[in-house]
Amino acid sequence: AQKVTQAQTEISVVEKEDVTLDCVYETRDTTYYLFWYKQPPSGELVFLIRRNSFDEQNEISGRYSWNFQKSTSSFNFTITASQVVDSAVYFCALSEWEGSQGNLIFGKGTKLSVKP
Amino acid sequence: DAGVTQSPTHLIKTRGQQVTLRCSPKSGHDTVSWYQQALGQGPQFIFQYYEEEERQRGNFPDRFSGHQFPNYSSELNVNALLLGDSALYLCASSLGGIGGREQYFGPGTRLTVT
């Protein structure tokens, strides 16, 4: 069965701290994609990153970085030097090539609060 | 470049009524997916439309139906509304109707059923 688990319900940090959001997934497909989305209070989901199951290379984009490890079925997201504007709910999602045929399976989200 | 748009923004309906939500995909996209997001939860997949046909469906009853038009815009219809249908309804668009593509989301329609 496909499943995405985000064990951290809420995280609160002070500005400039680094913070890591955890994501663990379950799938039987060998071809799948992992995503992170950000949902600010306005409600619109903002696409952040997509990785496919054949590419375990970590990625850095500005203050954001992602650590994909197939051995532990994890796709963690780190924000370096957090800012108040990073406050939002962050969702990890899984898309299977065959099982769910492309629709996104979301975790329950992690609410990040960055305080000045 | 126009992103995904949805209308209306907010809607209040009474139990038992019917509602229609609308979505226009991002320019150049031909696939529309609908998701329901209850308060404090992640979005749940309702169904996906590609080439004017429903390609996939999540675990939602037949009260939820949809349509895709030749210009790729889409509608979500919900009949016999229940209190539990109160949620944020999100539309997402992508390209090609295949798995793994990024889905771009609209701002959502907040439906309240009283």
Side-chain angles (χ1 to χ4, degrees), chain A residues 93-114:
Chain A
L94 165 70
S95 173
E96 299 170 318
W97 184 255
E98 292 192 11
S100 60
Q101 293 184 359
N103 76 72
L104 293 170
I105 301 158
F106 285 88
K108 292 189 175 182
T110 297
K111 182 178 181 181
L112 175 64
S113 298
V114 182

Side-chain angles (χ1 to χ4, degrees), chain A residues 37 39 50 100-101 103-104, chain B residues 35 37 56 99-100 102-103:
Chain A
Y37 282 86
Q39 189 174 42
R50 178 191 73 159
S100 60
Q101 293 184 359
N103 76 72
L104 293 170
Chain B
Y35 293 81
Q37 186 179 18
Q56 306 172 49
E102 297 98 286
Q103 295 189 20

